[in-house]
Amino acid sequence: MGSVVLSIDAELGWGFHDFETLPSERVEAGRRGWPALLELLDEYDVPATWAVVGHLMLDSCDGVHADHPAPEGWFERERTEWRDREDLRFGRDLVADLLEADVDHEFASHSFSHVLFGRPETDRELAAAELERSAEIAADWGQTVESFVYPRNDVGHRDVLAEYGISAYRGRSPTGDGVRGIVDSTVRNRSLLVEPTVDEYGLVNVPASLFLFGFEGPARTVAEAVWRDPMVAQARTGIDEAIRNDGVCHLWLHPNNLTHERDDERMRAILEYVDRRRAETDLTVETMADVARRLRARGSVDGGTVTA
């Protein structure tokens, strides 16, 4: 049985708050892309793993977070430049829309404040605080978190994830993202399939196959003018490969990647293809939690010996 996994990093301003120079179009696009993506997923009945930054579920805060062991200055933009930008700091309305969607999406964690877990300054105390705070807020919303998506795919402190009841995480793509990923999967003919495995902490690593917005700017415009959207072509290749080989193709993106109508059309084309191939074959759509449960149902999870 081949399967497609779609994971979504839902973060609004938190994905960029530590940037010195902000990508303004992406920052402002989060609230545009979130409902657009939900609508498309509803239209094609495709469940996804939505990894949500916990801070978005708060209704207010002081911008200081004195009880949080973050590095000095971590919340500075929230207190200063974004003090009056609640639309970037909070997203209770968007989270409510997600939980009320017709499709049964997985609610996952993207940390509390988009801390980078693989950085040296992120010690165990900070990693634990990010997970604990996120879990508490999720529980207030009646949600139990099984999966975790590392901010910027910066993997670290997997033992802490296990301690806080996480079952699965998204590992790095073996082919890389962006232009490198396209070169590896086309020119070098590397597979877009990934092999979920259980690590030494009992966590299921569901690696990414393809970032759906890794080929942008002038190169994308030229490619679309002379051929077709290269990311749609790559996604279709991965989906077909999953069907042929009974494998897993794991696609991912952010709501803020949907900045214009052509981005919506990219997602429509990919989701329409998933829906069509699902009707024609035994292709299934899984969440990250689904993959973790499937691996556990197949046998022991000790020592990373179980694979999809």
Side-chain angles (χ1 to χ4, degrees):
M1 177 189 70
S3 73
V4 172
V5 176
L6 180 65
S7 58
I8 299 167
D9 301 14
E11 51 197 34
L12 294 184
W14 291 98
F16 310 99
H17 76 107
D18 57 328
F19 281 27
E20 183 174 346
T21 302
L22 296 174
S24 57
E25 186 176 49
R26 289 276 307 281
V27 171
E28 300 297 337
R31 281 189 167 272
R32 176 200 182 279
W34 193 310
L37 197 49
L38 276 176
E39 183 176 339
L40 286 167
L41 294 169
D42 271 353
E43 180 178 349
Y44 292 101
D45 192 24
V46 172
T49 295
W50 283 74
V52 179
V53 167
H55 194 289
L56 298 179
M57 295 183 283
L58 299 176
D59 54 10
S60 65
C61 73
D62 60 7
V64 177
H65 303 284
D67 59 344
H68 193 73
E72 184 177 355
W74 184 247
F75 295 102
E76 181 177 357
R77 184 166 258 129
E78 185 183 23
R79 295 192 302 271
T80 56
E81 184 180 346
W82 286 355
R83 183 174 181 177
D84 297 323
R85 292 298 307 271
E86 292 192 356
D87 58 316
L88 300 180
R89 298 162 53 206
F90 307 110
R92 290 176 63 88
D93 55 330
L94 298 174
V95 175
D97 289 344
L98 166 62
L99 297 179
E100 294 168 4
D102 292 338
V103 178
D104 187 18
H105 297 296
E106 178 190 4
F107 185 88
S109 175
H110 200 34
S111 80
F112 171 67
S113 64
H114 210 263
V115 160
L116 307 184
F117 276 52
R119 292 287 180 88
E121 59 268 28
T122 302
D123 57 18
R124 198 176 195 284
E125 180 188 13
L126 177 54
E130 286 281 303
L131 289 167
E132 181 174 1
R133 190 74 180 103
S134 295
E136 290 173 348
I137 299 170
D140 290 341
W141 283 69
Q143 301 300 307
T144 300
V145 175
E146 297 183 58
S147 301
F148 185 82
V149 170
Y150 283 100
R152 296 187 199 138
N153 298 308
D154 198 3
V155 176
H157 296 288
R158 289 176 293 128
D159 58 324
V160 181
L161 265 62
E163 181 180 322
Y164 278 86
I166 299 296
S167 299
Y169 67 93
R170 190 179 71 205
R172 291 181 179 275
S173 169
T175 60
D177 295 321
V179 175
R180 176 191 161 191
I182 291 180
V183 170
D184 279 352
S185 58
T186 55
V187 177
R188 297 174 186 167
N189 199 32
R190 289 187 61 177
S191 173
L192 283 170
L193 301 187
V194 294
E195 187 174 20
T197 57
V198 182
D199 69 14
E200 65 269 33
Y201 301 106
L203 301 171
V204 177
N205 175 13
V206 189
S209 296
L210 183 68
F211 174 44
L212 294 176
F213 287 83
F215 188 76
E216 303 304 301
R220 174 185 176 182
T221 300
V222 170
E224 290 178 343
V226 301
W227 185 47
R228 57 179 174 169
D229 187 333
M231 300 311 298
V232 172
Q234 285 298 290
R236 289 175 175 172
T237 295
I239 293 163
D240 288 341
E241 191 179 3
I243 295 168
R244 287 194 308 272
N245 298 287
D246 292 332
V248 177
C249 179
H250 185 177
L251 311 173
W252 72 280
L253 74 157
H254 313 83
N256 60 46
N257 290 127
L258 275 61
T259 59
H260 300 287
E261 287 186 9
R262 73 173 187 168
D263 304 317
D264 301 349
E265 290 309 307
R266 170 181 288 178
M267 289 307 302
R268 178 180 298 279
I270 293 169
L271 294 173
E272 186 278 331
Y273 195 72
V274 169
D275 188 46
R276 174 154 56 90
R277 296 297 279 151
R278 180 173 54 184
E280 297 170 342
T281 69
D282 64 353
L283 179 72
T284 187
V285 178
E286 297 183 290
T287 64
M288 289 173 56
D290 290 335
V291 174
R293 294 187 201 109
R294 178 160 60 84
L295 261 66
R296 285 183 164 80
R298 291 180 55 175
S300 170
V301 298
D302 293 334
T305 57
V306 178
T307 58

